[in-house]
Amino acid sequence: MFCYQCEQTSRADGVLGCASAVGNCGKDAQTSDLQDLLIHAVKGIAQYARRARDLGAGSNDAGRFILYAMFTTLTNVNFNPARFTSMLVEAAEIRAAVKKAYEDAAAAQGVAVEELSGPAVWDIPAATNELLAQAEMASVRAGEAEVGEDIVGLRALILYGAKGVCAYAYHALMLDEQSDEVYAALENTMDFLASDPTDVDALVGQALALGHTNLTVMGMLDAGNTGKFGTPEPSAARISPVAGKAILVSGHDMADLAALLEQTEGTGINVYTHGEMLPAHSYPELKKYAHLAGNYGGAWQDQQTEFANFPGPILMTSNCIIEPAASYRRRIFTAGPVGWPGLRHIENHDFSTLIQAANAMPGFAADSEEETITVGFGRDAVLGVADVVIDAVKAGAIKHFFLVGGCDGAASGRNYYSDLVDQTPKDSVILTLGCAKYRFNKKDHGDIGGIPRLLDMGQCNDSYSAIQVAVALSKAFECEVNELPLSLFVSWFEQKAAAVLLTLLALNIKGITLGPTLPAFITPPVLNTLVEAFDIKANTTPEADLAAALAAN
């Protein structure tokens, strides 16, 4: 195996990437190779699907499969090789269907059928051993000897960005939001990658086009969440448990949480959020459930300790699962794209077995002393007091805005973000989203004229809100976003973060400080390209980076 798609990738002995029998995420070589092969199969589907759609015979069934398949290959989502073998069989069937649709549409319109190659004509075997024998040709580094690591790195930037876009689009789909435009764009992206592109300008252009697609997708996800659950509003989320039976929900999927809350209403079982599910406490249609009792624990990398201590079953709804410890392996359930060998998987929002497990466990014996944090500062809440914010800026009460957010992780150096926030001036406002906020969201950062200095805008999925706030402020001050007293400190970990980065670059937002380490697939020449075009910076120290940010505005 070889994998370097996330921040936890191995950087030992001069090798940038996990190239051993087991990756640092816990993914074994068999699963990694099957994931590469599934991506190869998706490229083949896209080759036909793109051409069929051009002839008016597009298939959103194929599009939905692409979303799900790509999502399963994200970091810390699915570790079950049997699921990937099954998906490869399904991929062969879908590819055959879109190929026929393309050929039929071409014949009906008198258009010559293109003779395709590569993934489009790969003979996908059904047996796992036969699949694994072909894994090398689907590796992310395939062709590197011919085209060089810089071209492969740019291809990887597009692929990993596409994985993130597919994950966001899958979340939106679960909220009944989908788009022909998005399916077409993703088919175009994967068809482009299937051609083994080598032109640097074309690669960069495709990456930025994907960033624009991701902005559309995040808008769809925002519409899905607010349409189903209402507009987020500033709310107190309890972070200390209460007595009673309990279920813990982690991941990102609000649709799963909503279904569980409905099915547990009146049962006496309390439901707790974990990790990126914290923003649920700000949605009116979710927090109306009295048994949405609070948030338990912090970011994903602490789950082995936190899950072990939780006195009930756990539901993992999307990315962020790590190897379940023996202490809770028999009481963790998966849903959606998530998978781990031997864990029980829940289909179609039927949580009856999860509820049964909760009733069989003790839950919390007594109430803990009440503690709360405030969440729910989405764009509507922030822009609802925009006049106050603007007046405070004009009066000099607010001199700077910092966006400090993204993914958290276990690697050393991530205390950079808590140190940075601690050192921000008292006349500045800190916007945050993603699980990186767990580094500093329980501290009292004070307020400016009644406006909290720390504004929690939600999940990494809610990056759309932060972008809309920045755009609205730029309009209010009649300047470009890059001219605002705004500094972006983005902590990346996996492929959703890559998609958001591409969106920021597509919007020509410059001067982003990215860390805690730069992606391994971004080689020095690729980094230079991004630095020259977008002034991307790597973290140094909180003191130096903070001084540079304040001096720039």
Side-chain angles (χ1 to χ4, degrees):
M1 69 174 280
F2 178 83
C3 182
Y4 60 177
Q5 69 178 4
C6 76
E7 192 265 340
Q8 67 189 339
T9 191
S10 175
R11 299 169 188 266
D13 302 322
V15 177
L16 299 181
C18 296
S20 55
V22 179
N24 287 332
C25 67
K27 178 172 63 177
D28 61 32
Q30 180 185 37
T31 301
S32 180
D33 288 347
L34 289 171
Q35 289 181 354
D36 288 344
L37 289 163
L38 181 59
I39 294 299
H40 195 68
V42 165
K43 292 177 183 177
I45 293 171
Q47 286 176 278
Y48 289 115
R50 197 272 289 172
R51 289 162 176 80
R53 195 176 292 276
D54 286 347
L55 296 176
S59 168
N60 286 353
D61 286 341
R64 286 185 284 269
F65 177 80
I66 289 173
L67 301 187
Y68 181 82
M70 293 279 279
F71 196 169
T72 62
T73 69
L74 262 71
T75 299
N76 290 12
V77 174
N78 199 312
F79 296 78
N80 190 341
R83 292 265 294 275
F84 289 105
T85 300
S86 175
M87 277 188 281
L88 278 157
V89 172
E90 187 177 358
E93 296 169 351
I94 290 173
R95 189 186 62 184
V98 293
K99 177 185 178 183
K100 184 177 186 303
Y102 166 53
E103 292 172 344
D104 288 351
Q109 298 177 38
V111 176
V113 173
E114 288 185 57
E115 186 174 338
L116 301 179
S117 59
V121 297
W122 173 41
D123 184 13
I124 305 175
T128 302
N129 61 333
E130 294 178 15
L131 284 164
L132 293 173
Q134 301 184 53
E136 187 174 350
M137 63 90 180
S139 168
V140 70
R141 291 196 299 179
E144 185 175 274
E146 293 75 30
V147 302
E149 63 177 359
D150 301 332
I151 294 299
V152 168
L154 281 169
R155 292 175 184 173
L157 176 62
I158 296 170
L159 173 61
Y160 299 152
K163 288 187 180 190
V165 177
C166 286
Y168 286 135
Y170 179 84
H171 285 308
L173 179 63
M174 295 302 97
L175 298 167
D176 301 323
E177 295 286 335
Q178 60 181 327
S179 161
D180 291 352
E181 172 194 350
V182 169
Y183 290 136
L186 288 167
E187 290 161 3
N188 288 342
T189 298
M190 300 308 290
D191 175 58
F192 175 78
L193 290 175
S195 70
D196 295 329
T198 58
D199 182 84
V200 171
D201 289 340
L203 286 158
V204 172
Q206 187 68 41
L208 296 181
L210 188 61
H212 284 295
T213 298
N214 190 54
L215 182 64
T216 299
V217 169
M218 288 194 298
M220 291 164 50
L221 179 54
D222 180 85
N225 276 324
T226 56
K228 294 283 187 183
F229 311 127
T231 300
E233 54 194 25
S235 307
R238 182 170 177 136
I239 56 173
S240 53
V242 297
K245 305 284 187 179
I247 293 173
L248 186 62
V249 183
S250 193
H252 297 72
D253 201 302
M254 296 296 178
D256 278 332
L257 176 62
L260 178 62
L261 287 168
E262 183 177 351
Q263 291 175 39
T264 50
E265 188 172 23
T267 64
I269 298 171
N270 291 319
V271 176
Y272 294 83
T273 56
H274 175 268
E276 286 270 50
M277 300 301 294
L278 170 62
H281 298 273
S282 67
Y283 285 102
E285 292 301 309
L286 296 177
K287 70 176 187 175
K288 72 179 184 182
Y289 290 98
H291 64 299
L292 180 61
N295 189 76
Y296 177 90
W300 66 272
Q301 74 273 5
D302 298 323
Q303 68 186 252
Q304 288 178 320
T305 299
E306 291 168 352
F307 290 3
N309 293 329
F310 188 78
I314 302 114
L315 175 66
M316 182 60 73
T317 67
S318 69
N319 47 317
C320 293
I321 191 171
I322 56 180
E323 181 173 7
S327 57
Y328 63 87
R329 183 181 292 264
R330 296 185 64 184
R331 56 185 174 86
I332 182 170
F333 297 74
T334 61
V338 191
W340 191 281
L343 298 189
R344 287 172 285 183
H345 190 74
I346 291 173
E347 299 280 2
N348 302 318
H349 289 161
D350 179 3
F351 296 116
S352 54
T353 55
L354 181 69
I355 293 169
Q356 183 179 10
N359 280 320
M361 295 198 65
F364 290 101
D367 291 353
S368 298
E369 183 178 352
E370 184 173 3
E371 297 179 70
T372 64
I373 54 176
T374 303
V375 298
F377 291 98
R379 74 174 187 281
D380 291 284
V382 175
L383 295 180
V385 293
D387 55 340
V388 178
V389 173
I390 291 166
D391 288 345
V393 173
K394 290 179 177 178
I398 296 176
K399 289 191 170 65
H400 207 88
F401 296 88
F402 294 92
L403 174 62
V404 185
C407 313
D408 203 3
S412 60
R414 287 185 174 269
N415 59 320
Y416 168 95
Y417 296 99
S418 53
D419 293 345
L420 179 81
V421 168
D422 285 346
Q423 295 175 41
T424 54
K426 299 301 182 185
D427 55 5
S428 64
V429 171
I430 307 142
L431 308 174
T432 190
L433 44 76
C435 62
K437 62 175 168 274
Y438 280 110
R439 297 262 169 181
F440 46 78
N441 69 340
K442 294 181 175 68
K443 297 181 180 179
D444 181 4
H445 299 279
D447 67 89
I448 300 174
I451 299 171
R453 286 191 60 235
L454 180 68
L455 302 177
D456 182 350
M457 303 192 75
Q459 295 180 326
C460 67
N461 297 9
D462 295 312
S463 299
Y464 183 79
S465 266
I467 291 170
Q468 296 306 311
V469 166
V471 170
L473 287 174
S474 71
K475 290 179 180 178
F477 289 108
E478 299 181 346
C479 66
E480 298 296 322
V481 170
N482 293 319
E483 296 172 328
L484 288 170
L486 169 67
S487 302
L488 283 74
F489 291 84
V490 178
S491 63
W492 86 284
F493 183 81
E494 42 84 314
Q495 298 78 63
K496 285 182 176 177
V500 172
L501 176 64
L502 291 181
T503 295
L504 295 174
L505 300 184
L507 294 172
N508 198 35
I509 293 176
K510 298 183 178 181
I512 300 167
T513 302
L514 185 65
T517 55
L518 293 176
F521 54 85
I522 295 184
T523 62
V526 173
L527 177 60
N528 287 339
T529 298
L530 298 178
V531 169
E532 290 174 6
F534 303 105
D535 191 29
I536 283 185
K537 304 176 177 71
N539 288 2
T540 59
T541 65
E543 294 79 8
D545 293 343
L546 189 60
L550 293 170
N553 294 106

